[in-house]
Amino acid sequence: PSPASRMTRGAEQKPRGPVHISLLLFGAVRSDLQLAVSLASVRQNLLAPLTHGHSLYKVSIHGSMDCSHPCTLAAVRSAFAGPKLRADTLVVEGGVNSTDSMLRYRRAMAHAARAAAVALRAGAKLAIAARVDVEYASPIHRDLVPPGATLTWQVSQNASASGERRGGGPAWIVVPDFAHFHQLNDRFVYGPMGTVLALFEWRLHNMAADLF
């Protein structure tokens, strides 16, 4: 058979076993109530659709976030230690009491890049990056496949403006059609692990260069 036919058949082969997908929770926790509301929606609308009743995915959770008064570091760590939402890795830092929105945003992007880098080293193939200060009102579709794609990790459309992606693989990103900046949403985004990491690194680089 020709190389082209071999490549076609190879692209149609499905991977063996569950796909490792990492849920990246990042941002800033400002109160115990905000954290409780956000994590309840994460369990119901992000985790449950991916884990209930089937074995398509192996889901890991990597968190990196700030904690500002009146929230306490102990409360955040406790929230991620329960049986329903146990983080594989968790970094919690004291928040900054600043009205500078760009400083807070830059810290959020740094947290997102840190969590993504840890997940990539842990072998995750796909990533869902979600802000920890958002309430998710509807369930994610468990298939996670963009229109026209047969397998998410084989899509080759260049939907990411994040430059060089990390870890190889295709460059695509899926975002909801609301409140996204320059067509790439930092509040909620999913795609191949390396591309998601590249997105947040690109954001940090542009902030350092004062391009935003």
Side-chain angles (χ1 to χ4, degrees):
S2 68
S5 65
R6 288 198 298 269
M7 288 176 63
T8 300
R9 286 203 299 271
E12 293 172 351
Q13 292 177 354
K14 294 185 177 180
R16 297 178 181 177
V19 176
H20 185 179
I21 182 168
S22 180
L23 176 60
L24 312 175
L25 296 173
F26 70 97
V29 179
R30 297 178 180 86
S31 73
D32 294 344
L33 176 60
Q34 174 232 302
L35 181 64
V37 170
S38 178
L39 293 189
S41 71
V42 166
R43 288 192 297 267
Q44 179 177 343
N45 291 322
L46 299 185
L47 280 176
L50 299 177
T51 58
H52 181 68
H54 60 87
S55 57
L56 288 177
Y57 303 109
K58 168 192 172 185
V59 180
S60 63
I61 300 173
H62 300 279
S64 184
M65 61 202 69
D66 282 344
C67 173
S68 301
H69 181 78
C71 170
T72 64
L73 298 178
V76 176
R77 294 191 180 103
S78 176
F80 283 94
K84 294 183 178 179
L85 186 66
R86 184 178 298 275
D88 293 77
T89 61
L90 178 65
V91 176
V92 187
E93 297 178 343
V96 292
N97 293 320
S98 172
T99 58
D100 185 343
S101 59
M102 290 306 295
L103 173 61
R104 296 198 305 268
Y105 184 76
R106 186 162 58 247
R107 287 183 64 88
M109 293 301 98
H111 280 300
R114 174 192 288 159
V118 171
L120 182 65
R121 290 195 297 269
K125 302 301 181 185
L126 296 172
I128 299 173
R131 287 269 293 268
V132 75
D133 57 348
V134 172
E135 182 179 5
Y136 299 93
S138 58
I140 191 171
H141 195 285
R142 73 174 192 174
D143 204 18
L144 296 179
V145 179
T150 55
L151 294 174
T152 52
W153 51 93
Q154 294 171 354
V155 178
S156 60
Q157 66 191 61
N158 290 318
S160 168
S162 57
E164 289 295 323
R165 57 194 179 276
R166 298 279 295 276
W172 59 267
I173 279 183
V174 175
V175 299
D177 188 22
F178 68 90
H180 51 75
F181 183 59
H182 290 181
Q183 304 304 310
L184 291 174
N185 184 2
D186 61 81
R187 292 173 178 84
F188 179 84
V189 56
Y190 68 83
M193 186 68 252
T195 307
V196 171
L197 172 57
L199 165 64
F200 292 117
E201 289 181 334
W202 171 76
R203 284 283 176 84
L204 281 173
H205 171 78
N206 283 356
M207 285 178 175
D210 204 20
L211 297 179
F212 278 146

